[in-house]
Amino acid sequence: MIHAIKWAGPVPYHVVWFPETRDLDTVARLRAPVTVIRQASAAFMQHLPLPVIRRTRFCTAVTDLTRSEDQLLADMHKTCRASVRRAMKVPHTFEVLPPGQAPEARRLINDFNRQLYGRPVSAANWQLTDRHGFVTQLRVDGHVIAVNTYLLDGLSRARGLYAATIPREGGAMPARTIAELNRLLTWYDMQYVRDLGVRIYDAGGLFDDPAHPSAGVDQFKLSFGFTRQYEYHALTSPYLPARRGLNRVEQRP
């Protein structure tokens, strides 16, 4: 389990990621007005001894990294595997860094978030990644082309948070090449965390709806052979005023 403290104005609140049943007592003892739960197991939610203010079912894409590299490759869709192999032929450099040492990655991700959500990634979430994660990036001719950020929950799970590439239209590199390098980066990330001994690669949330305007994100993730896993986001509090008046705590990671 990853534990962080954030603030809603002057009020602190807890955020816990990936709690399991062994974490029930720890979460129950937290005494900020609100605890935000991210990607809890069904068993954890069933036995949580605190009142749940709000709960949502969450679909994520995962794969078992305890299997061999050949098995992971075999799980990929044929087109994904071919894209990775083509991208390998492009001279490139793979890098793993703390966010504070990856200014180009931060800029790409912040720009992408501005376009998508109207705001950059919050300082608190960059701090969360600094403390509990890392950034990966691919360079071509010295320029960062594709980036990913992760949370690392010990050896249990590596979870993708934010990702971005350089703009695919009007650039010096063909859009197809950028897309293939982006797939290659994900493949390198899987190998990197597998070599660390991490058991589960979590590519992050799925829209889980083929009619969704961003269903292409699901197609990208599932093309690696990842499977759907259903978990829960929730808000909980031991305090009645917080349960009655909760409106300000953020709902996005």
Side-chain angles (χ1 to χ4, degrees):
M1 183 182 78
I2 292 173
H3 173 219
I5 297 176
K6 294 187 177 182
W7 295 80
V11 180
Y13 64 96
H14 294 282
V15 182
V16 294
W17 286 83
F18 322 121
E20 299 289 344
T21 52
R22 64 179 178 269
D23 303 309
L24 283 164
D25 289 343
T26 301
V27 174
R29 286 195 299 267
L30 297 176
R31 282 294 178 258
V34 172
T35 297
V36 179
I37 297 169
R38 297 288 182 194
Q39 292 186 231
S41 66
F44 175 90
M45 294 304 305
Q46 182 179 358
H47 294 96
L48 182 64
L50 297 173
V52 174
I53 303 167
R54 188 156 55 237
R55 179 173 73 170
T56 57
R57 195 164 180 247
F58 179 78
C59 183
T60 193
V62 302
T63 194
D64 179 2
L65 293 179
T66 64
R67 295 172 301 145
S68 71
E69 185 174 310
D70 286 343
Q71 288 173 315
L72 293 172
L73 278 169
D75 279 350
M76 287 187 193
H77 294 184
K78 181 179 178 180
T79 53
C80 180
R81 206 162 44 239
S83 292
V84 166
R85 288 172 175 159
R86 280 193 298 269
M88 286 181 178
K89 298 176 182 178
V90 179
H92 61 270
T93 303
F94 171 65
E95 298 172 331
V96 181
L97 298 164
Q101 297 178 23
E104 292 174 85
R106 290 178 65 125
R107 185 169 59 251
L108 275 178
I109 289 171
N110 281 336
D111 286 348
F112 179 78
N113 265 49
R114 286 189 189 97
Q115 293 173 15
L116 202 60
Y117 305 115
R119 61 186 185 278
V121 174
S122 68
N125 281 331
W126 281 122
Q127 290 168 4
L128 177 69
T129 310
D130 256 326
R131 292 176 184 143
H132 300 285
F134 55 91
V135 170
T136 65
Q137 57 189 32
L138 274 188
R139 288 186 183 272
V140 175
D141 294 330
H143 301 290
V144 173
I145 304 300
V147 300
N148 289 322
T149 70
Y150 290 89
L151 291 181
L152 193 59
D153 183 16
L155 296 180
S156 176
R157 181 190 314 219
R159 200 277 197 188
L161 267 188
Y162 299 102
T165 66
I166 61 172
R168 301 192 186 187
E169 303 299 330
M173 184 177 291
R176 175 177 167 176
T177 302
I178 296 171
E180 290 175 346
L181 288 167
N182 195 32
R183 290 187 187 277
L184 178 60
L185 178 60
T186 297
W187 173 235
Y188 280 159
D189 295 347
M190 292 167 63
Q191 294 177 84
Y192 171 73
V193 296
R194 180 177 174 271
D195 289 345
L196 293 178
V198 174
R199 296 184 292 276
I200 296 294
Y201 179 89
D202 181 346
L206 295 170
F207 295 99
D208 204 27
D209 176 5
H212 193 281
S214 296
V217 175
D218 288 15
Q219 293 169 11
F220 173 88
K221 294 176 181 178
L222 296 174
S223 71
F224 285 87
F226 302 155
T227 57
R228 292 175 172 86
Q229 180 167 298
Y230 292 91
E231 297 173 320
Y232 294 90
H233 293 333
L235 302 176
T236 184
S237 174
Y239 304 113
L240 183 60
R243 300 201 297 271
R244 285 178 172 170
L246 181 70
N247 289 312
R248 298 179 60 190
V249 174
E250 65 184 46
Q251 293 300 297
R252 284 190 52 80

